[in-house]
Amino acid sequence: MMTDVDRPLRFVKYLFKYDNGRRYQIMVVTSCLGMSHRTLLKMIKGRWNIENSVFNNLKTDCGLEHCYVHGGNAVEAILCLIFIAANIMQLFLLRRLKSHYQTQKEIVRKLLKGLYLLKYDRELVFSSG
């Protein structure tokens, strides 16, 4: 337990052993004082799965290696556009194409380029010609 903070905190340390004998540990700091160790471990593993699958997918398949805009609203707008593009692509690919990963990256790249152009010259994006 940790004292002298606004809310009491609990430190939990999990020790694990791989089949090959190597050991590793997970350390958790939480304000959930009454939660069982088993439930806490399930939550940590679930969050780790999200970290590995969702964020890894955004970086590798959606072209988000680096976000060139800053600020909460801008990042949220880009993520929303990426999710919309990904859903449209998945719908299209489900019905039309077999190999689609490069296509999805290209659509996201073009959306990001459009946002970049919009920042500097609105006429490049909204021109009728």
Side-chain angles (χ1 to χ4, degrees), residues 34-65:
M35 187 177 294
S36 73
H37 289 103
R38 175 170 275 147
T39 303
L40 188 59
L41 183 61
K42 283 182 182 179
M43 287 176 63
I44 295 302
K45 286 184 174 184
R47 291 190 72 167
W48 191 252
N49 186 29
I50 291 170
E51 181 78 28
N52 284 338
S53 59
V54 175
F55 294 128
N56 186 37
N57 186 5
L58 287 174
K59 288 179 182 179
T60 57
D61 295 337
C62 296
L64 263 184
E65 293 88 13

Side-chain angles (χ1 to χ4, degrees), residues 116-127:
Y116 176 79
L117 292 175
L118 178 64
K119 180 179 177 182
Y120 292 104
D121 190 355
R122 296 176 67 89
E123 299 225 356
L124 290 174
V125 177
F126 294 110
S127 66

Side-chain angles (χ1 to χ4, degrees), residues 26 48 71 74 85-86 88 94 106-107 117 128:
I26 298 173
W48 191 252
I88 291 171
L94 181 69
E106 186 63 18
I107 292 276
L117 292 175
S128 60

